[in-house]
Amino acid sequence: MSHSMTARAPIPCCLSRPAVVCPLGDTPAAIEAALFQGQRGLVDDDALIDARTLPVGRVATPLPDDSAWPAQHRSRNNRLLAAALTQLAPTLEAFRQCHPDARIGVVIGTSTSGIGETERHLGHYRQTGQWPEAFHYQRQEIGASARFIAERLGLDGPAYTLSTACTSSARALTSARRLLASGRCDAVIAGGADSLCRLTVNGFAALGALSDAPCEPFSVNRRGINIGEAAALFLVTRETGGIQLSGYGETSDAHHISAPKPDGAGAQAAMEMALEMASLTPGEVDYINLHGTATRLNDSMEALAVAKVFGEASACRSIPACSSTKALTGHTLGACGALEAAFCWLAMQTERLPPQVNDGHIDPQLAPLRYATADTRQTCRRAISNAFAFGGNNISLLLERAS
């Protein structure tokens, strides 16, 4: 890979302070405290799957009341987004004073939308043969999330939702960057949300991918994932300074409907593309937020891909510090790309790194990585956040703190 021939992006792509609602909390102070101390935000749940109790990453903080909203917008997914929007409001309102609403876009990633509400209404339908009055099909449409935000805020710019499973909200950020580069928008509200529901939990159970205990990414004892929920939003603008999305890479393995390609070629290529777009060498990256689902196949593939890209970074520099924050939040599916980009954003602002939380028994069969600990203190100027999804679609985001 050659970096010398690649020019810097023609426009800046600044990510505002993230607005986050997740199992670690809903304020910067609460989230940072849990994130950098490695505190798990998982709770036991026996309602999402029959005859089985599972640890899940459930948002416990109060969410906005949706009883007065239009029926098509009443869903837990949108309540998560509304809570995040409240945090984003001061930044957005200051921007709107100088820019027309037609120049502000909305791009959201999700995989569940309002399916949880439909699940509850199905019980009524099975008993009576009729849908309850509160049921509205539109709330479960994939496009509902972006439409909700645009209508709630009265924005007239492009508004659409992406659903590529666990890469959805990471792709929303790259789509926002392209909207800015095209000149179509001056700013984009970008990120994602997913809420806990029986459909996803039972689907992953059918694949044999769920762990009955808190997940253990990269441990020899890893047994699978925990499912979580979250919302994470950014206002993406052309402003200079701050935290920039300076590169990204998107690839597709086309290897298997649910399993990653074992050699990690697609993940490797995504990281290399992100580095090339940002005109950076591997040795200039300080931290990698790993996708790290704690499944046998993902962790093996990802460790191998990271070692291939960063193992020869420099004769005097080791592999960047790495960690998977899914041990803390669970796998938030369509929200994880934006959520974990937000964690990288916080790491670059605080110069603390999220530690790798597991049982301490790293799998010796994995390619060796340098895992961050709660005691890790270092300057973090540049970070990569990985997200990989069903169908072998991969994305790596490269965030950089401007000088």
Side-chain angles (χ1 to χ4, degrees):
M1 178 175 59
S2 171
H3 300 281
S4 60
M5 300 300 291
T6 304
R8 281 284 184 178
I11 62 167
C13 182
C14 183
L15 303 182
S16 71
R17 171 174 281 277
V20 176
V21 180
C22 73
L24 303 184
D26 64 351
T27 66
I31 292 169
E32 289 178 22
L35 177 67
F36 297 122
Q37 293 172 20
Q39 295 178 355
R40 292 187 188 261
L42 305 176
V43 296
D44 288 337
D45 187 283
D46 61 3
L48 291 169
I49 190 169
D50 295 338
R52 191 172 176 185
T53 299
L54 294 169
V56 298
R58 184 181 294 280
V59 170
T61 52
L63 298 177
D65 179 12
D66 64 357
S67 60
W69 297 358
Q72 68 268 26
H73 291 327
R74 294 177 204 155
S75 71
R76 184 170 178 83
N77 234 44
N78 286 344
R79 293 174 69 204
L80 289 167
L81 285 168
L85 280 175
T86 299
Q87 298 177 30
L88 196 65
T91 301
L92 178 60
E93 288 308 310
F95 192 88
R96 292 178 78 175
Q97 291 179 13
C98 305
H99 298 268
D101 289 342
R103 300 283 300 170
I104 301 175
V106 179
V107 186
I108 301 299
T110 189
S111 66
T112 60
S113 194
I115 292 173
E117 283 66 34
T118 298
E119 290 173 350
R120 290 192 289 276
H121 292 153
L122 271 172
H124 183 277
Y125 180 82
R126 287 170 180 155
Q127 291 179 358
T128 67
Q130 295 184 353
W131 292 103
E133 185 178 349
F135 173 75
H136 198 293
Y137 178 84
Q138 195 172 352
R139 74 180 58 163
Q140 75 174 33
E141 293 176 351
I142 287 298
S145 300
R147 186 165 54 244
F148 164 70
I149 291 178
E151 292 182 10
R152 183 173 180 81
L153 299 178
L155 299 176
D156 300 320
Y160 52 91
T161 303
L162 301 175
S163 188
T164 55
C166 306
T167 58
S168 299
S169 58
R171 291 188 185 277
L173 292 174
T174 65
S175 185
R177 189 179 188 274
R178 288 191 287 269
L179 282 171
L180 296 179
S182 72
R184 179 65 182 82
C185 292
D186 295 326
V188 181
I189 299 170
D194 258 344
S195 48
L196 289 166
C197 62
R198 290 177 61 89
L199 176 70
T200 50
V201 172
N202 283 269
F204 278 97
L207 292 172
L210 293 182
S211 173
D212 289 322
C215 66
E216 308 283 359
F218 302 97
S219 166
V220 69
N221 299 312
R222 65 191 186 279
R223 295 291 183 268
I225 68 176
N226 308 135
I227 303 297
E229 63 179 1
L233 297 173
F234 296 86
L235 185 66
V236 187
T237 68
R238 294 194 190 91
E239 295 176 8
T240 58
I243 306 298
Q244 299 282 323
L245 175 58
S246 57
Y248 62 85
E250 298 173 300
T251 64
S252 179
D253 295 342
H255 168 73
H256 187 274
I257 193 170
S258 61
K261 193 174 183 181
D263 65 4
Q268 176 185 351
M271 287 183 278
E272 290 175 341
M273 290 168 65
L275 287 164
E276 181 135 12
M277 181 180 289
S279 298
L280 295 174
T281 64
E284 294 176 282
V285 174
D286 302 300
Y287 170 65
I288 304 172
N289 187 287
L290 302 163
H291 188 58
T293 60
T295 59
R296 306 302 299 181
L297 295 179
N298 176 90
D299 291 7
S300 175
M301 172 280 294
E302 187 172 15
L304 180 60
V306 170
K308 286 179 178 179
V309 176
F310 294 93
E312 303 297 328
S314 169
C316 60
R317 184 182 178 89
S318 64
I319 290 175
C322 303
S323 64
S324 166
T325 48
K326 290 182 177 64
L328 311 182
T329 64
H331 190 345
T332 59
L333 305 177
C336 76
L339 177 64
E340 291 161 17
F343 291 162
C344 289
W345 195 104
L346 294 174
M348 285 187 280
Q349 289 292 85
T350 61
E351 298 194 351
R352 297 182 65 187
L353 300 182
Q356 179 56 66
V357 173
N358 57 30
D359 59 6
H361 300 290
I362 298 297
D363 188 345
Q365 299 300 313
L366 299 178
L369 303 181
R370 182 166 70 92
Y371 296 100
T373 70
D375 297 324
T376 302
R377 297 287 190 279
Q378 68 175 62
T379 298
C380 185
R381 285 281 311 281
R382 303 177 184 95
I384 279 182
S385 183
N386 285 335
F388 311 128
F390 284 174
N393 77 86
N394 312 294
I395 186 165
S396 292
L397 305 177
L398 200 155
L399 278 63
E400 184 172 8
R401 190 177 69 199
S403 300

